[in-house]
Amino acid sequence: MKRFLAIFTVATMIWACSSDSSGSDTTDDIVDPKPEEVSFERGSMLTNWADNIIIPSHEAFSIEMTGLQTAFDTFKGDASEVNLVAFRASWLSAYKMWQRVSMFEIGPAETVGLRLNMNIYPTDGPKIDGFVSSGTYDLALASNRDAKGFPALDYLINGLGDTDEDIVAKYNGAEKESLISYTGDVIADMAGLTTGVLAEWNSGYRDTFVENDGASSTASVDRFINDYVFYYEKFLRAGKMGIPVGAFSENVLPQNVEAYYKADVSNELFLEGFEAVQDFFNGVHYGKSTSGESLASYLDALNTIKDGDDLTKLINDQFDLAKTKVEALAPFREEIENNVPPTNMLLAYDEVQRIVPMLKVDMVSAMSVSIDFVDADGD
Amino acid sequence: MNRFISKHITAPIEAAPLAVFRILFGVMMLLSIVRFWSYGWIEKLYIQPKFFFSYYGFEWVKPLGVYTYLIFIICSLSAIFVALGYKYKIAIITFFISFTYIELMDKTTYLNHYYFISLLSFLMIFLPANAYFSLDAKQDSKKAFQKIPAWTINSVKLMLGIVYFYAGLAKLNSDWLFKAMPLKIWLPSKFDTPLLGQFLHEEWVQYAFSWFGAGYDLAIPFLLLYKKTRPFAFLMVVVFHVMTRVLFPIGMFPYVMIISTLIFFDSSFHHKLLGYFSGLFRIAKNRFDNKRILAMPLNVVTNSKLVLISLFFVIQLLMPWRYLVYPGELFWTEEGYRFSWRVMLMEKSGYAQFKVVSKDSGKWFYVDNSDFLTPFQEKQMSFQPDFILEYAQYLKRHFEKDGHKNVQIFVDSRVALNGRLSTTYIDPKVDLGEERESFEHKNWIIPFTDEIKGI
């Protein structure tokens, strides 16, 4: 026994010491790796995330914000029904693009609390009315997050009256100046945050993010997987569907749907965010059909083939199934208000829900990432 | 038999090893508490949470709000007193009680090595660890002895031997030996470890670590006992524990084990070590070398002490086997898993979503666990049945107090074990509000779908 252990120790030492010299040539010639034992490079996954998904998405969102600003300027010049319709279209288009960047709450976005500043809903209509009539408000205050961002615009564009005629009348009425200036401030606040986050990504954070390719709770991959799962569970699953449909309360909460005043786009917004999450899982490049290293390819490389079926496929199948279910739904507000109980939406929610344990238990455990939401902000 | 008894139990032996053990134990405990405090864990683990998971029968042990700090202060003071050997008996009793109280406050933080510390400090209550090189011995020469009965040091060795050997036995299962699980999951994620990192994804490395780990645990008590193999065994102890420290987040435990195993060395080594201490702190070591022998008088006190210690070890030897009386897979049900030296055997994680149903109206809703639990508590709760039950009971009480009537609690849960795909864990049709904690098998755990062979 002693001799065996002695040999083992010596062998361990030699092997440990010799590993330095083999740094440049790959480990392939040291042992015979079976084909599936690919060593996965977290660095290249991070590069793919940053260069092909996160930054291009932020860029596209930034362009959308510029479009929104332009549409608003036109509306400001002439508050006509035609210009309102165009303004609304720009808002919806930007809101949809937002669904593709909302999950990237890491680095500069995390620092400024981008998600909390852009998309807290339900928005506080009476509070906005108060701000508009008093003209005194500080949008930078955390307590005013429910009076700004996309939901506030939803109120200002869709909620001030029953018809476009009514809304346009408000913008041409007694409070004309203050309404325009409040709307302008909300957009300026959003545009400022958006440009700031993108600028940080382009001026150094990209490298910080990609180079932090280790394996600790502070490494980029571990942190982002936490953020990603957290986003899916809290904001996409619960925020956009679960809470309004009444999964977490005794009664349904239709006023909690996203874009409540627009009323007919909440499912569209959800699906955009849902597809973004699935695309991210598969490493699909933003705006393209190509893809790169991703959570999916990482899982494949980790050889987590179980039950004769692989986890990547199981997760994608569930994504597809849930998507089909949600696509068949009417706008969420309609589903909730017209059905007691909203059975179809609850059933669709169940399918959306089923992805949570797949990501949070199976995927995370296969990757040996520790789930720790301690440092994450709640909503 | 008589020879055995005299050699290992009654024979007088040098007290120095036990004195060194006492000093290092006290210092390590003090460092552990300081470290724990400095990381802000007292606040995070014992003050911030709204709810605490209790051990069955110890529901009355709870953190004391901000006074919890006081328990930690008492615990660290007693650790200092133990190290100094000052008012030793009171110090070690205080340490045992305060440390154990801390561990009983919340089951979430259960670690085998905390349990090990509790046991060790309990054992130390009965050992004359202050007979040599202590303030007690310095102040009162009647309490100073150079030699003490052999059983005292041997009982510490036995305790350590049990920990290692049972940890080794627990690794003799098909997941560990033939699937290299859970190391196959854990090691590749440590790819950024200096020197070793690039090899950790190799399958043969994962198997080598698994087999070596099992062999190490089973063999090390014996290698430490025999003089010839001892230096090598100690080298192994150091290498093994440093390695585990590098690869896994296990805090102070490796260091505690390394210093504990020093007790296996001959007294000459401990005398040298104490000589070194003496030089460092200008202590006259020779005053303790008084040739006095602490005898074992044949009386009721000695006998009851020996009976108690024997009983303690009988329990220690039997505890890890209690899982045999439960049906089902131990790793899955965890009935009889704790207090058994099953260390780092499982990559297990789960997800539990609780559904609160009002029986009268039929209305229901899901619970957002983060309203009640910290992320750490939620993680631990999601794959351990006793946690799930206790939390469900708490939810029932909470929502009934909130005005809901006749509340039923159901759980939708999934658990993944050692790389297997997650499956349903708890019967989703069982109202956990109606179930009670007991030592009986929990028949609402859905049986494990695979098989793990072995001990």
Side-chain angles (χ1 to χ4, degrees):
Chain A
M1 191 61 188
K2 186 187 166 190
R3 184 174 296 165
F4 165 75
L5 287 173
I7 293 169
F8 189 91
T9 320
V10 173
T12 311
M13 299 289 177
I14 293 171
W15 157 64
C17 297
S18 62
S19 65
D20 253 359
S21 53
S22 66
S24 54
D25 40 57
T26 52
T27 54
D28 290 7
D29 46 9
I30 296 175
V31 283
D32 55 334
K34 288 178 200 155
E36 70 267 29
E37 274 183 60
V38 191
S39 158
F40 185 81
E41 291 288 335
R42 283 185 171 201
S44 48
M45 177 164 76
L46 287 171
T47 309
N48 186 46
W49 285 357
D51 295 349
N52 299 318
I53 305 175
I54 303 179
I55 296 176
S57 299
H58 269 297
E59 279 166 348
F61 180 59
S62 197
I63 293 169
E64 288 289 343
M65 283 306 297
T66 314
L68 179 62
Q69 180 73 54
T70 314
F72 169 68
D73 289 341
T74 313
F75 180 69
K76 188 174 158 185
D78 172 17
S80 66
E81 278 184 51
V82 176
N83 287 344
L84 176 68
V85 169
F87 181 27
R88 181 182 290 139
S90 284
W91 165 81
L92 183 58
S93 171
Y95 209 173
K96 281 172 79 173
M97 190 58 221
W98 161 254
Q99 307 297 335
R100 291 203 163 258
V101 294
S102 180
M103 74 177 119
F104 305 128
E105 192 85 346
I106 191 167
E110 193 183 6
T111 313
V112 298
L114 190 64
R115 186 158 54 213
L116 296 175
N117 281 296
M118 297 291 258
N119 198 21
I120 284 283
Y121 56 92
T123 195
D124 192 337
K127 192 189 238 175
I128 295 175
D129 291 341
F131 285 164
V132 169
S133 48
S134 73
T136 45
Y137 45 83
D138 181 359
L139 292 182
L141 289 180
S143 54
N144 290 338
R145 282 174 180 163
D146 55 359
K148 64 178 194 170
F150 286 107
L153 290 181
D154 177 34
Y155 177 71
L156 291 163
I157 296 172
N158 308 306
L160 290 177
D162 288 338
T163 63
D164 286 0
E165 204 183 335
D166 294 348
I167 297 169
V168 167
K170 289 242 176 178
Y171 279 94
N172 290 302
E175 294 200 305
K176 179 180 162 68
E177 299 294 322
S178 38
L179 262 178
I180 287 289
S181 106
Y182 189 78
T183 310
D185 286 347
V186 169
I187 293 175
D189 176 78
M190 294 164 73
L193 290 167
T194 307
T195 342
V197 168
L198 179 59
E200 293 257 352
W201 270 99
N202 284 329
S203 67
Y205 185 72
R206 182 256 173 218
D207 292 344
T208 313
F209 180 76
V210 169
E211 280 158 18
N212 188 6
D213 61 355
S216 68
S217 57
T218 54
S220 291
V221 171
D222 297 68
R223 285 194 50 207
F224 191 72
I225 288 175
N226 267 294
D227 293 343
Y228 174 78
V229 176
F230 185 62
Y231 169 76
Y232 185 84
E233 191 180 8
K234 281 265 174 191
F235 294 92
L236 200 64
R237 174 201 71 133
K240 294 183 204 298
M241 276 189 97
I243 293 173
V245 80
F248 299 96
S249 52
E250 274 200 41
N251 300 303
V252 294
L253 300 167
Q255 68 279 15
N256 282 47
V257 297
E258 199 171 22
Y260 174 78
Y261 298 99
K262 180 73 179 83
D264 58 355
V265 295
S266 47
N267 48 344
E268 222 176 301
L269 294 174
F270 173 88
L271 284 167
E272 193 71 31
F274 192 76
E275 272 170 33
V277 165
Q278 188 179 6
D279 284 348
F280 183 82
F281 176 76
N282 291 312
V284 177
H285 299 164
Y286 172 72
K288 299 189 182 121
S289 54
T290 49
S291 64
E293 295 289 15
S294 62
L295 294 171
S297 62
Y298 190 12
L299 279 178
D300 291 342
L302 287 170
N303 188 20
T304 50
I305 296 159
K306 308 164 193 166
D307 275 5
D309 217 346
D310 65 293
L311 193 51
T312 307
K313 185 172 182 305
L314 286 171
I315 292 176
N316 271 320
D317 286 352
Q318 186 60 35
F319 266 120
D320 293 341
L321 174 63
K323 198 163 93 181
T324 317
K325 290 272 184 185
V326 177
E327 277 169 347
L329 295 176
F332 295 163
R333 189 173 157 188
E334 204 180 308
E335 287 283 347
I336 297 166
E337 288 176 340
N338 299 351
N339 302 291
V340 185
T343 313
N344 289 338
M345 187 164 164
L346 281 168
L347 289 173
Y349 170 80
D350 282 346
E351 299 304 332
V352 171
Q353 156 66 27
R354 272 187 237 286
I355 297 168
V356 179
M358 291 179 145
L359 297 177
K360 206 173 173 177
V361 177
D362 294 297
M363 179 182 86
V364 157
S365 141
M367 291 175 183
S368 196
V369 170
S370 65
I371 281 284
D372 190 1
F373 291 155
V374 171
D375 297 317
D377 276 327
D379 44 346
Chain B
M1 189 61 191
N2 275 342
R3 249 187 81 209
F4 180 89
I5 289 179
S6 89
K7 188 177 173 215
H8 296 287
I9 296 180
T10 54
I13 55 164
E14 290 284 336
L18 191 60
V20 168
F21 181 76
R22 183 203 79 229
I23 296 168
L24 294 177
F25 179 82
V27 171
M28 291 308 265
M29 290 308 107
L30 178 64
L31 290 178
S32 302
I33 294 166
V34 169
R35 171 178 174 272
F36 199 89
W37 192 321
S38 69
Y39 287 179
W41 288 350
I42 302 179
E43 172 77 21
K44 187 175 155 187
L45 299 175
Y46 296 116
I47 298 183
Q48 281 174 359
K50 294 177 199 155
F51 171 73
F52 298 95
F53 288 97
S54 300
Y55 291 93
Y56 185 47
F58 291 92
E59 291 79 7
W60 49 278
V61 183
K62 294 277 174 215
L64 310 175
V66 73
Y67 298 106
T68 311
Y69 282 103
L70 206 62
I71 310 175
F72 280 86
I73 291 172
I74 293 171
C75 193
S76 29
L77 285 179
S78 56
I80 296 173
F81 279 44
V82 167
L84 295 173
Y86 182 63
K87 308 261 188 222
Y88 172 76
K89 201 74 157 192
I90 299 170
I92 191 70
I93 291 174
T94 312
F95 179 84
F96 166 70
I97 293 175
S98 56
F99 189 90
T100 308
Y101 189 94
I102 291 168
E103 294 325 314
L104 290 176
M105 289 191 305
D106 189 359
K107 195 157 66 169
T108 312
T109 56
Y110 172 81
L111 287 180
N112 282 290
H113 75 255
Y114 291 149
Y115 173 55
F116 171 66
I117 301 294
S118 277
L119 291 181
L120 212 50
S121 57
F122 175 78
L123 187 58
M124 284 170 76
I125 294 174
F126 305 95
L127 305 183
N130 58 340
Y132 188 79
F133 211 78
S134 71
L135 282 180
D136 283 346
K138 189 186 166 199
Q139 286 177 344
D140 185 352
S141 57
K142 289 202 290 289
K143 286 184 184 164
F145 299 96
Q146 188 186 342
K147 296 200 172 188
I148 52 176
W151 71 267
T152 57
I153 291 180
N154 286 334
S155 60
V156 177
K157 290 182 187 170
L158 178 58
M159 188 70 241
L160 282 163
I162 290 175
V163 173
Y164 275 122
F165 193 72
Y166 274 94
L169 284 180
K171 291 185 174 71
L172 303 182
N173 66 70
S174 54
D175 269 17
W176 184 273
L177 297 174
F178 304 119
K179 290 185 173 175
M181 277 293 183
L183 292 182
K184 193 178 256 182
I185 293 177
W186 290 340
L187 292 180
S189 74
K190 305 293 170 192
F191 59 84
D192 56 350
T193 308
L195 300 178
L196 287 174
Q198 55 185 310
F199 300 103
L200 297 178
H201 70 274
E202 303 282 1
E203 200 167 27
W204 72 269
V205 174
Q206 296 148 9
Y207 276 99
F209 272 62
S210 296
W211 283 73
F212 175 72
Y216 166 86
D217 280 338
L218 289 170
I220 206 74
F222 304 104
L223 296 176
L224 282 165
L225 277 175
Y226 295 105
K227 195 171 177 166
K228 280 187 175 169
T229 52
R230 195 174 297 141
F232 170 73
F234 187 69
L235 179 76
M236 283 281 95
V237 168
V238 174
V239 169
F240 179 82
H241 286 296
V242 168
M243 196 103 103
T244 58
R245 178 73 189 85
V246 170
L247 290 173
F248 306 111
I250 46 180
M252 297 288 285
F253 183 58
Y255 309 116
V256 173
M257 286 314 266
I258 289 172
I259 62 115
S260 296
T261 49
L262 287 176
I263 201 165
F264 283 92
F265 280 82
D266 284 344
S267 60
S268 58
F269 166 80
H270 295 91
H271 277 294
K272 261 187 231 157
L273 203 63
L274 290 176
Y276 175 73
F277 280 165
S278 304
L280 215 58
F281 299 104
R282 297 175 192 278
I283 301 166
K285 178 177 176 289
N286 51 11
R287 79 156 68 220
F288 299 108
D289 296 320
N290 56 12
K291 302 270 190 307
R292 282 174 39 131
I293 295 171
L294 176 62
M296 281 179 73
L298 288 170
N299 60 23
V300 187
V301 179
T302 312
N303 282 341
S304 41
K305 197 190 265 189
L306 286 181
V307 167
L308 191 74
I309 301 284
S310 312
L311 202 64
F312 172 80
F313 280 113
V314 169
I315 292 172
Q316 286 312 311
L317 290 168
L318 293 178
M319 271 290 259
W321 300 108
R322 73 188 188 282
Y323 79 95
L324 292 171
V325 301
Y326 291 102
E329 171 53 48
L330 170 66
F331 286 9
W332 186 251
T333 67
E334 300 206 30
E335 292 172 320
Y337 190 83
R338 280 186 287 260
F339 313 117
S340 304
W341 316 119
R342 301 179 197 280
V343 192
M344 310 216 73
L345 284 179
M346 305 192 294
E347 163 61 38
K348 194 178 180 190
S349 59
Y351 177 81
Q353 186 176 236
F354 291 80
K355 191 175 188 177
V356 179
V357 181
S358 174
K359 211 174 173 180
D360 302 339
S361 65
K363 289 201 173 191
W364 60 268
F365 57 91
Y366 288 117
V367 174
D368 183 349
N369 291 329
S370 62
D371 287 347
F372 303 98
L373 305 178
T374 64
F376 183 45
Q377 288 178 318
E378 184 180 357
K379 176 177 182 263
Q380 296 292 92
M381 176 276 292
S382 61
F383 61 86
Q384 302 185 68
D386 52 338
F387 282 67
I388 292 176
L389 178 61
E390 197 181 346
Y391 180 52
Q393 305 269 327
Y394 169 76
L395 290 175
K396 181 181 164 78
R397 284 196 305 277
H398 174 88
F399 287 108
E400 286 187 343
K401 213 166 75 187
D402 247 19
H404 303 258
K405 295 212 176 78
N406 274 330
V407 164
Q408 293 177 301
I409 309 281
F410 299 94
V411 65
D412 172 17
S413 63
R414 296 187 76 82
V415 166
L417 172 63
N418 282 351
R420 294 172 182 84
L421 209 61
S422 65
T423 56
T424 306
Y425 191 50
I426 302 292
D427 188 340
K429 293 188 189 69
V430 170
D431 173 12
L432 292 175
E434 292 298 308
E435 299 298 325
R436 290 289 167 265
E437 182 59 86
S438 74
F439 287 127
E440 278 169 44
H441 170 60
K442 298 176 170 58
N443 48 24
W444 34 267
I445 304 172
I446 305 267
F448 189 45
T449 49
D450 200 355
E451 195 188 359
I452 301 173
K453 291 192 178 67
I455 298 176

